[in-house]
Amino acid sequence: MKRWMAALLAGLLVFACTGCTALEQTPWPVPSRTASVLEDMEPIQQPDFDDDTASSTAQIQDGQEEEEMYLEIIVGDTVFSAELYQNEAARTLWQMLPLTLSMNELNGNEKYSYLSQQFPTNPQQPAGIQTGDLMLFGADCLVLFYDSFPTSYRYTPLGRVEDPAGLAQALGGGNVTVRFLPSV
């Protein structure tokens, strides 16, 4: 009887230790959907974007050429052309088009909107944000930057407005409705 109890206690001890290890490997918590999250997050140092990620040319994978993805970003009566990068997050956005989003103002340099689904991510820290960058913050926050600035935050690059002249004026200082359409 004592051997049976000792074996049972040993099994429980092994089970309890395994449970503790699993708790320590819990993934990073997802921030809540408020603008203050963007302001409160700690910066993470990472290398610059890979040249492959920001490539605007079609890439060859498994012997097949990938289709270039161009968009029209429409703010009021102003239309901007943009090209999406060749990555999974950009392809996910492409599949959601057309989109009409109410985009919120943040920091005097960007508009953002949370999307209805989680995207595949590959967050990287750019050397700096450029006017016209279209990026994903977290797994579901689309960000359109209308001013260049240095950053220590991480984003998944989606694409870039080809000629961002006038983007800041079109987006204005408050919240705005922005349409994203596939370019024909």
Side-chain angles (χ1 to χ4, degrees):
M1 176 81 169
K2 287 183 181 181
R3 285 186 182 168
W4 183 79
M5 285 294 266
L8 179 63
L9 286 175
L12 287 174
L13 181 61
V14 168
F15 179 74
C17 289
T18 304
C20 292
T21 303
L23 289 176
E24 293 171 2
Q25 297 174 355
T26 305
W28 187 274
V30 176
S32 65
R33 296 176 175 237
T34 63
S36 64
V37 166
L38 299 177
E39 297 165 345
D40 296 339
M41 292 202 58
E42 291 290 325
I44 299 173
Q45 297 297 324
Q46 291 293 332
D48 293 342
F49 285 145
D50 296 333
D51 288 338
D52 294 337
T53 302
S55 173
S56 63
T57 60
Q59 297 177 6
I60 307 296
Q61 289 185 344
D62 299 328
Q64 295 181 348
E65 190 171 320
E66 292 189 15
E67 182 181 332
E68 292 180 343
M69 300 174 288
Y70 291 94
L71 331 161
E72 290 182 351
I73 299 174
I74 303 169
V75 184
D77 295 330
T78 309
V79 179
F80 297 92
S81 295
E83 183 175 2
L84 293 179
Y85 299 139
Q86 296 294 329
N87 62 43
E88 288 302 313
R91 281 187 280 281
T92 300
L93 178 62
W94 181 256
Q95 292 170 356
M96 294 176 71
L97 298 179
L99 276 176
T100 300
L101 301 173
S102 175
M103 299 192 81
N104 299 306
E105 170 64 34
L106 186 64
N107 297 326
N109 56 26
E110 66 188 80
K111 301 293 184 184
Y112 73 95
S113 182
Y114 283 97
L115 301 170
S116 61
Q117 72 182 64
Q118 300 282 307
F119 280 56
T121 61
N122 182 16
Q124 302 168 24
Q125 183 192 349
I129 298 295
Q130 300 301 312
T131 301
D133 283 345
L134 184 63
M135 299 200 192
L136 188 67
F137 181 77
D140 63 349
C141 185
L142 182 67
V143 183
L144 177 57
F145 292 95
Y146 61 86
D147 196 11
S148 299
F149 63 96
T151 186
S152 56
Y153 292 105
R154 296 176 62 184
Y155 302 91
T156 298
L158 295 173
R160 176 156 181 70
V161 173
E162 292 177 333
D163 181 7
L167 185 61
Q169 292 79 12
L171 291 171
N175 299 345
V176 65
T177 299
V178 180
R179 293 176 38 210
F180 297 85
L181 304 172
S183 186
V184 288

